[in-house]
Amino acid sequence: LSICNKLCYAIGGAPNQVAGSAAAFFLQIYLLDIAHITPFHASLVLFIGKASGAVTDPVAGFFISKSRWTKIGRLMPWMLACTPFVVVSYFFMWYPSPFVSGRVAWYLTFYCLFQALTTLFQVPYSALTMFLSTDQKERDSATAYRMTMEVLGTLIGAALQGQIVASAHVSHHCTVNPPVNTTDSWHDAPSFPDPSDPLSHQVIYMIAAGVIGGVYLLGVVILFLGVKEKDDPYALNSDRAIPFCKGLGLTMKHGPYVKFTASFLLISTAVQLEQNNFVLFCTHAADLRNHFQYLVVTILVSAAVSIPFWQKFLQRFGKKCAACGISWMIPFAVMLVTIPNLILAYFVAFVSGLSIAASLLLPWSMLPDVVDNFRLQNPHGKGHETIFYSSYVFFTKISAGIGLGISAAGLEFTGYKPGICRQSDDVILTLKILIGAVPAILILVGLFILLFYPITEEIRKETKFALEVLR
């Protein structure tokens, strides 16, 4: 694979992360403070939306596994066909509902559509790794390029969205020093904008959605022009595609895959909780409402520049050893919760970025090893790649949806009030738990499960050699 091939492949996945990052960091606070829906309804939107995307994963895997090979490959047509619909659904997800009484249904509908359509893109795109090359080092290198660009995409999404919509979450009367004897009227004073303002907060969010939609289209064009999908040149004509349902059953019995999935679905849920509640935490619990967009950028710049470091680290010390870097964010997140200091916040953001980079790179670097291990045990079957990738994304989305739904429901239970300058102590405590304690527990349990993951560097090399002999 040439550097150009790897770059084009990596750029193709960046737009999905641009849009996903903007939604992860800002959708919850948009629903609460701009769309003015209750935390309970916001939790329904987030959970059902994630669940719809998760349900689409095995469905997408089923139909893609039955697709015939075309002149541009088997996976590429899916990505090209769904992209325009992804852009439209993403824009309307941030479009103000024209129905006052049906606004929850409006946001739920378009968020579900966006999640389902991005799945139709993400499943073939992630499975495309297996069709770039049969060489493990080439695939690992392409994955490192991809993760670097996806983190940059996450950075671009959060930075674009953050810079465009920052004014929608800064209220001058909330930033002035309140009197010593804070009254209930100041405590409950709404920070909504003057509705007569021609550039309302909803328009600002629509501008951001339009910009990110343009990035989406550009990335897919580069992917199509720069990547050629290749079937396994060593596959025998007698090999038969594994039926989807049978293949799904086999993956659920495959020990390395079960341990791998259980570990990273907990870790990814922890990262999702951090992303979705970070802006709320900075705004309401840490008195950093004027800095949240810069803290988000710090996290993502740190993650982007550290991807090459983690790639070198896992090549030298092994992939399981590199997983220890994911735990770095735990002590610093706890420090931020207990000591919400501005300088400490930037330091925590930097260290968290290092950990997030490891959590993003490792699963997509380890999953091809699991697929190769399965291929060795089932030498005359093919078409299992999309089954592995779609089921993995399914489980991570379901776990993230449950986590996000519970977190939003927790805010509802503790009395979150949209638009007020200062939330109650119960809400602030809930945000601290969602940023500190819950992710820490999930990461520790996930890393403990990963200790039992059986594919070490020695086994990975033996599998590679055995596949070469088989071919």
Side-chain angles (χ1 to χ4, degrees):
L1 292 175
S2 68
I3 293 177
C4 181
N5 291 146
K6 296 175 186 176
L7 276 175
C8 290
Y9 170 64
I11 291 171
N16 230 14
Q17 302 306 313
V18 172
S21 169
F25 280 108
F26 293 96
L27 183 59
Q28 180 164 273
I29 198 169
Y30 170 82
L31 294 174
L32 293 174
D33 288 359
I34 306 300
H36 302 169
I37 70 176
T38 66
F40 173 73
H41 288 130
S43 70
L44 286 180
V45 171
L46 293 172
F47 171 70
I48 296 175
K50 285 286 184 182
S52 69
V55 170
T56 311
D57 281 299
V59 175
F62 174 78
F63 286 107
I64 292 170
S65 66
K66 290 184 173 296
S67 300
R68 293 185 177 182
W69 196 270
T70 68
K71 292 182 179 179
I72 58 174
R74 185 159 57 93
L75 305 175
M76 190 68 73
W78 286 87
M79 293 180 274
L80 295 177
C82 70
T83 297
F85 300 100
V86 173
V87 174
V88 171
S89 64
Y90 181 79
F91 178 79
F92 281 103
M93 192 172 79
W94 305 97
Y95 189 86
S97 171
F99 314 106
V100 177
S101 59
R103 59 191 174 193
V104 175
W106 174 275
Y107 294 114
L108 177 61
T109 299
F110 285 105
Y111 186 52
C112 287
L113 279 173
F114 172 71
Q115 288 292 332
L117 290 166
T118 52
T119 295
L120 290 176
F121 180 93
Q122 188 65 26
V123 169
Y125 173 76
S126 55
L128 185 60
T129 308
M130 302 300 297
F131 296 93
L132 296 176
S133 172
T134 57
D135 185 80
Q136 287 183 354
K137 284 188 177 180
E138 288 293 301
R139 291 200 306 251
D140 284 348
S141 176
T143 300
Y145 274 82
R146 171 192 163 192
M147 287 299 106
T148 302
M149 290 306 301
E150 287 195 354
V151 173
L152 284 173
T154 305
L155 169 61
I156 292 169
L160 271 177
Q161 189 89 354
Q163 293 302 317
I164 294 173
V165 309
S167 61
H169 301 288
V170 176
S171 174
H172 295 295
H173 103 257
C174 282
T175 56
V176 297
N177 294 323
V180 177
N181 54 343
T182 303
T183 62
D184 289 339
S185 60
W186 186 89
H187 186 281
D188 294 330
S191 59
F192 300 140
D194 180 359
S196 63
D197 183 2
L199 191 63
S200 69
H201 293 185
Q202 282 118 342
V203 174
I204 293 173
Y205 268 95
M206 288 163 57
I207 292 171
V211 172
I212 290 176
V215 173
Y216 224 117
L217 294 173
L218 178 63
V220 173
V221 170
I222 293 173
L223 173 69
F224 174 70
L225 295 177
V227 175
K228 181 174 176 58
E229 185 179 341
K230 304 173 186 175
D231 202 0
D232 187 348
Y234 301 104
L236 299 176
N237 292 332
S238 60
D239 289 353
R240 291 288 179 265
I242 300 175
F244 183 82
C245 293
K246 179 183 177 182
L248 193 59
L250 290 173
T251 60
M252 294 301 102
K253 297 176 183 177
H254 190 60
Y257 178 70
V258 171
K259 295 180 177 66
F260 163 83
T261 303
S263 172
F264 280 103
L265 70 83
L266 293 174
I267 293 170
S268 65
T269 301
V271 174
Q272 285 275 336
L273 283 172
E274 291 274 358
Q275 279 187 317
N276 278 265
N277 292 288
F278 186 76
V279 175
L280 282 171
F281 173 81
C282 290
T283 303
H284 299 298
D287 196 25
L288 298 170
R289 67 174 68 240
N290 293 323
H291 296 272
F292 72 80
Q293 67 267 38
Y294 306 113
L295 290 169
V296 169
V297 169
T298 302
I299 292 173
L300 298 174
V301 167
S302 171
V305 299
S306 62
I307 288 284
F309 162 77
W310 286 117
Q311 176 65 12
K312 294 291 184 183
F313 188 96
L314 63 86
Q315 286 178 345
R316 181 167 183 178
F317 300 102
K319 298 176 183 180
K320 285 182 69 172
C321 186
C324 65
I326 299 172
S327 64
W328 292 358
M329 75 169 71
I330 296 175
F332 295 100
V334 173
M335 288 172 62
L336 179 61
V337 167
T338 54
I339 315 170
N341 177 273
L342 179 59
I343 297 175
L344 178 62
Y346 278 98
F347 184 66
V348 170
F350 174 77
V351 176
S352 296
L354 300 178
S355 295
I356 288 172
S359 71
L360 291 174
L361 176 64
L362 279 173
W364 297 112
S365 181
M366 295 168 75
L367 188 53
D369 300 337
V370 176
V371 176
D372 279 345
N373 185 270
F374 181 86
R375 174 70 183 272
L376 187 62
Q377 296 179 21
N378 300 270
H380 298 296
K382 63 179 182 179
H384 55 278
E385 295 88 358
T386 53
I387 299 174
F388 273 97
Y389 280 85
S390 63
S391 58
Y392 171 69
V393 177
F394 167 78
F395 288 120
T396 53
K397 282 185 178 179
I398 281 288
S399 63
I402 292 172
L404 298 179
I406 291 174
S407 72
L411 294 176
E412 166 81 10
F413 179 76
T414 51
Y416 181 91
K417 295 180 180 179
I420 66 173
C421 291
R422 179 174 295 173
Q423 299 291 338
S424 67
D425 291 341
D426 289 340
V427 172
I428 292 173
L429 177 61
T430 301
L431 287 170
K432 289 181 177 180
I433 292 172
L434 292 172
I435 285 291
V438 177
I441 294 170
L442 291 173
I443 289 172
L444 290 174
V445 175
L447 291 176
F448 177 75
I449 295 173
L450 197 62
L451 291 175
F452 302 96
Y453 173 72
I455 301 180
T456 60
E457 288 304 298
E458 292 74 19
I459 292 177
R460 188 175 69 83
K461 291 175 183 177
E462 290 172 4
T463 301
K464 177 184 176 181
F465 179 74
L467 283 176
E468 288 174 351
V469 170
L470 183 66
R471 285 159 175 158

